[in-house]
Each structure stands twice: as C-alpha cells, then as structure tokens.
Amino acid sequence: MEDKKPIGFAINNFRIEQFATIPGFDGSQKEYNLSVQIGFSADARNKLIGNSMEVKFLSEEDKPFLITAIVGLFETNPDNWDNLLSDDGAAYVIPLHVAHHLSVITTGTMRGILIAKVLDTAPEYAAFVLPTLNLTDIITEDATLPVVQAEKEE
C-alpha cells in the first residue's frame, strides 16, 4: 500500500494460545536459538485485526524446550475499516508500518506474559527472556489477507 490512509486502533485483548515447557530440559542450557513466527488476521464482523506470535526457544540441537504463542487483538476505528480493503476489494491489506507497530506491541506483551508464566509455573526457565527482535527483518511487506466470500456478503 503506497498511500497511508488512517487506520486508528486500540488494544482489545491478548490471548495466550500456548505455553509449554518441554520435558528433558536440564537447566544448564546457556546458548539457544529462537524461532519466531508472526501472522495477521482480520475479523470484519468485529472490525478487529489479529496479530499472532509464536516463539520457540531452541537448544543448540534445534530442539524446542520452551514454546509460547499469543494473539493480540486490535479494535480498529470503524470509520477506518474500509481503508484496509485493497482496491479490488478482494483482500484486507495491513500496511507494513501498521504491521510493525502492532507487532511491537504484541512482542512487548509476549515478553511480559513469558516472564509471568515462567516465574509462576516453571522458574527453572527464568533465565530465558525474549530478547529484542528486529521486526523490520521479520516483517518485510504489507500483510495481505484474502476476504472470504461470507465477509463480502455481510
């Protein structure tokens, strides 16, 4: 999307989709890798943008030992919802700058959830904090989401 049409939003909610510690972790792990997956969704009925994030902490052998996934829900200004539609109306397009902004919020929330869940349920994992992420390397283009037929008919 070249032009920057206004897309006002507010945080609606965050859902924890998964929090898992994998058996076999011995607590001595010092080096690890991350697998980060970020996705987007659109809920036309409720005028929500979803921003999902899954983070896996991986051992040196690339085996996951800590997994967490959340979805951030962002309520859009109803007057701005149509600004997300592509020119042909076939897709919702979340502009890159908006995708980055939402993902920054979701990443910060993920970090807080991870710390709280680890301290509450698995303190042996407390040394594993989600580091800063360069979201511009992870999200490199607008998020384009097809409009399903049922949404077109509403």
Side-chain angles (χ1 to χ4, degrees):
M1 270 183 130
E2 289 183 24
D3 54 346
K4 291 188 177 184
K5 297 174 185 173
I7 301 172
F9 68 89
I11 296 171
N12 176 279
N13 196 7
F14 284 92
R15 289 192 320 251
I16 300 171
E17 298 288 310
Q18 181 178 18
F19 176 79
T21 55
I22 310 302
F25 174 75
D26 67 6
S28 65
Q29 181 86 27
K30 299 293 183 226
E31 297 291 322
Y32 62 92
N33 295 309
L34 286 178
S35 167
V36 178
Q37 300 292 320
I38 295 176
F40 293 91
S41 59
D43 176 347
R45 177 174 287 131
N46 296 304
K47 308 292 191 262
L48 295 172
I49 297 172
N51 179 208
S52 60
M53 180 177 213
E54 179 188 73
V55 174
K56 294 180 182 178
F57 288 78
L58 306 170
S59 69
E60 292 173 346
E61 298 82 30
D62 279 337
K63 294 181 180 175
F65 61 88
L66 178 60
I67 303 170
T68 187
I70 68 169
V71 174
L73 298 174
F74 299 90
E75 185 176 332
T76 62
N77 178 331
D79 296 334
N80 301 156
W81 183 255
D82 287 342
N83 292 346
L84 293 173
L85 278 174
S86 61
D87 291 338
D88 64 4
Y92 295 109
V93 180
I94 301 169
L96 183 59
H97 72 282
V98 174
H100 283 155
H101 190 89
L102 298 179
S103 294
V104 165
I105 295 167
T106 301
T107 300
T109 303
M110 167 75 84
R111 191 172 287 114
I113 289 170
L114 181 62
I115 290 168
K117 293 289 281 182
V118 162
L119 292 177
D120 187 43
T121 62
E124 65 273 22
Y125 292 83
F128 300 100
V129 176
L130 182 61
T132 58
L133 301 174
N134 186 344
L135 294 170
T136 59
D137 285 346
I138 297 171
I139 307 166
T140 59
E141 59 189 14
D142 297 342
T144 302
L145 311 164
V147 174
V148 296
Q149 188 62 35
E151 291 173 346
K152 289 181 181 178
E153 295 170 359
E154 288 183 3

